[in-house]
Amino acid sequence: MPARPEDLAVMFAAADFPWWIAGGYAIELAVGRELRPHGDLDVLVLRRDQARVRDLLTDWDLYVADPPGLGQLRPWRSGETLQPPLHDIWCRRTPEAPWSVQLMLDEAEGTHWVSRRTPRIRLPIERLGRRSGTGIPYLAPEVQLYYKAKATREKDETDFEAVLPLLGEPQRIWLANAIAVTAPDHPWRRRLMPPDAHEK
């Protein structure tokens, strides 16, 4: 039962670290309208800020996917520092409540965000996100689409089609080049690259 971005924004209002709505909700915040139902609410924070977000959610029931991607969850213990490859945390208000937030940890080096998939993909942290008309921070659509390109599903195609017209040429080229690193034959690349663009 996903929380809503506006609910999370209230809860994170006191956060002294950067955070961004991610996933499908990030795309909806970019386009300014609802596109489809959601199974969860994704939130991205930098790994180096995990103790701060752990303190912010101290009253929540938090479980980490260990190992990632295999459906095995264990409690995220207070004071525990999660090391790579652990990055996926399931959150609910109480042990009896449904899961409502999926917290994801990503890497950073100094002033740059670094993709957890490969250190070759990076951006200045100041370019990692945008703000909605109501001030909610969300992950830049080109970064969100890069993550969605790994294993594209029908909902990811919906998100791509909705946000593609809003991407400027620098965003399109960045995304096309980022996808080329991890999925060089992905069909989105042909839709993104202008005819005279060259990979950098």
Side-chain angles (χ1 to χ4, degrees), residues 53-184:
V53 74
R54 182 69 178 78
D55 288 344
L56 188 68
L57 299 176
T58 188
D59 295 330
W60 282 54
D61 193 40
L62 307 176
Y63 278 69
V64 59
D66 185 4
L70 296 183
Q72 299 177 19
L73 299 175
R74 65 165 179 82
W76 183 15
R77 298 178 296 275
S78 179
E80 178 186 8
T81 299
L82 301 178
Q83 301 293 342
L86 303 181
H87 67 270
D88 188 10
I89 301 141
W90 291 41
C91 313
R92 57 188 175 186
R93 291 186 179 274
T94 68
E96 295 75 30
W99 302 112
S100 57
V101 174
Q102 187 170 1
L103 181 67
M104 295 174 293
L105 304 179
D106 236 341
E107 312 307 321
E109 293 180 5
T111 60
H112 281 72
W113 160 81
V114 180
S115 170
R116 63 178 175 268
R117 291 184 182 163
T118 171
R120 295 172 59 189
I121 306 301
R122 56 183 62 215
L123 269 177
I125 293 172
E126 64 184 17
R127 291 176 50 196
L128 187 58
R130 311 279 188 274
R131 283 194 178 269
S132 71
T134 57
I136 299 174
Y138 63 90
L139 198 59
E142 64 269 27
V143 178
Q144 185 58 66
L145 290 175
Y146 163 70
Y147 277 124
K148 285 177 168 288
K150 180 180 179 181
T152 310
R153 302 152 294 182
E154 183 178 352
K155 64 181 181 180
D156 301 319
E157 296 290 349
T158 297
D159 292 347
F160 178 79
E161 293 294 339
V163 82
L164 180 61
L166 303 181
L167 298 182
E169 185 170 317
Q171 295 169 292
R172 288 174 179 242
I173 292 175
W174 182 90
L175 177 56
N177 290 340
I179 292 174
V181 174
T182 51

